[in-house]
Amino acid sequence: MASPKISALITASGGIGSHFVLHKMHGHPNIMVLNESSFTVDSTLAKKGTTKGDLKTCLASNVHFSSIASNLENEQLFPKKPFNGDVEWVVLNKPPLKRINYQRAFNPYIPVNYIFRNPVSFYYTWISYGDRRYGRNISNEAVFEWFKNTFMTSLFELSQNFDEQRDNVVSFEHFFNDVDSEINRIFTTLGVPVLKSEELAVMDYCK
């Protein structure tokens, strides 16, 4: 079977809506989205599953995919699909952008879908998250400092290696309000058949 290619979905942080987008992507029969832990463990520490070394080997030699097929099937999102010739893309789940940029020095084809969220709605998400999770409000100063150090830094890093012919910026607000139009752009970026939201497989299990 033909070996798939590697792609990545990137965010500046949690709370941007990535899970909604990732599960829509994974619903396409030609796309397999992995868990966040995939390809993140050092080979010397891993007892099972994919490792950092596996990712490098896959990028250097597509033949390696077949030797870790069972791990990929176990580490994908739901609904599970077989790792067979239908899978054209394996999507990394929110890896650090600097890690992708490092790999793109040797594999410049790797496309990135970067999720951007309206900073105002992101601000209110952070406020409500602090209330729910920790039972206290975070100050405006702390939010703005985080925004400057994390969100803006992430956008700057993206701009240094962004290729409009290869990469795509996904507005979460636009995606949520018009899934079909936005998922069309993602599928077009990856060169897979464009399917409407109602045609995509849906999550059938949630841990």
Side-chain angles (χ1 to χ4, degrees), residues 7 47 55 162 189:
S7 177
K47 295 182 180 179
L55 177 61
F162 184 83
T189 296

Side-chain angles (χ1 to χ4, degrees), residues 21 25 113 168 170 175 182-190:
V21 179
M25 292 175 65
N113 280 286
N168 183 40
V170 182
F175 191 97
E182 293 302 307
I183 203 71
N184 182 315
R185 295 173 57 235
I186 293 175
F187 292 157
T188 300
T189 296
L190 298 179

Side-chain angles (χ1 to χ4, degrees), residues 11-18 94 122 126 146 150-151 154:
T11 67
S13 80
I16 290 184
S18 59
K94 302 189 291 295
F122 202 13
W126 264 69
W146 174 90
T150 302
F151 202 68
S154 178

Side-chain angles (χ1 to χ4, degrees), residues 101-112:
N101 285 338
Y102 170 81
Q103 295 296 344
R104 291 207 286 199
F106 309 98
N107 302 274
Y109 80 83
I110 300 175
V112 159

Side-chain angles (χ1 to χ4, degrees), residues 118-136:
N118 183 314
V120 176
S121 55
F122 202 13
Y123 166 80
Y124 284 107
T125 295
W126 264 69
I127 296 298
S128 62
Y129 177 79
D131 286 339
R132 294 194 318 271
R133 182 79 175 187
Y134 301 107
R136 60 177 180 269

Side-chain angles (χ1 to χ4, degrees), residues 42-60:
D42 289 331
S43 302
T44 56
L45 300 176
K47 295 182 180 179
K48 61 179 181 178
T50 57
T51 68
K52 292 179 181 179
D54 285 327
L55 177 61
K56 295 177 181 178
T57 306
C58 285
L59 289 169

